Amino acid sequence: MTKLFKILFLILFLSGCNEKEAYDVGEDKAYEKSKTSLEVTERKNPTGFLSASGTKRKNFLRQTVVMGKVYNNARMVTYKDIEVLVSFYSKTGAVLEEDHVTVYEKVVPGGTVSFKEKLFTPKDADSMAMKVLSAKF
């Protein structure tokens, strides 16, 4: 009886090991496939993974100095040559001026890059907003 029990145990043990190896190979393939599809998604929609924010101040020449940051929330793709739309608003919320700023730096996945730009803006500008328009990868 114990001999039969040992044989059955050995058969179950060996068959279980083979299934585990086959499962790991399938799991690796599924991971690679999901990784590839994530990269394709991030390349197709850079504005969905990039965001911009910043502040402004005036210098001695009455220029508006915009200091901003671009954040990369992607997991796989590094973006570069990021175009940011900087909009200036009045106290009532009307758009006074919009300027395009291009950030010629690379932003790695999960990273941040800072930029500084001097612009001439209307003196009535009360607030500012930033939006990423496009980027290359």
Side-chain angles (χ1 to χ4, degrees):
M1 183 76 166
T2 55
K3 200 174 203 182
L4 181 63
F5 179 71
K6 288 181 182 178
I7 292 172
L8 286 175
F9 179 73
L10 184 61
I11 291 172
L12 289 174
F13 179 74
L14 292 177
S15 66
C17 292
N18 291 337
E19 288 178 18
K20 177 84 170 126
E21 290 173 13
Y23 181 74
D24 287 342
V25 171
E27 191 175 275
D28 288 343
K29 287 181 183 178
Y31 172 72
E32 289 298 322
K33 186 176 179 182
S34 68
K35 191 167 109 176
T36 303
S37 71
L38 177 64
E39 185 174 359
V40 168
T41 302
E42 290 176 354
R43 286 179 185 240
K44 284 183 179 178
N45 185 19
T47 57
F49 296 96
L50 293 171
S51 60
S53 66
T55 59
K56 66 179 177 72
R57 64 175 175 82
K58 292 276 188 182
N59 66 6
F60 292 116
L61 301 175
R62 308 289 292 160
Q63 293 174 319
T64 301
V65 180
V66 175
M67 295 163 290
K69 291 185 178 188
V70 177
Y71 306 96
N72 182 357
N73 296 319
R75 294 186 181 200
M76 303 284 298
V77 177
T78 298
Y79 297 105
K80 64 179 182 175
D81 302 342
I82 302 156
E83 182 144 353
V84 179
L85 177 68
V86 182
S87 302
F88 295 94
Y89 297 95
S90 69
K91 290 180 183 178
T92 61
V95 177
L96 297 176
E97 185 174 329
E98 292 182 331
D99 291 308
H100 293 266
V101 176
T102 304
V103 181
Y104 293 105
E105 292 189 42
K106 291 182 179 181
V107 185
V108 297
T112 303
V113 66
S114 299
F115 66 94
K116 184 191 232 183
E117 190 75 25
K118 295 177 186 170
L119 305 168
F120 286 103
T121 59
K123 65 179 180 178
D124 296 337
D126 182 58
S127 59
M128 175 187 73
M130 293 184 186
K131 178 183 177 184
V132 175
L133 295 178
S134 66
K136 296 178 183 174
F137 50 88

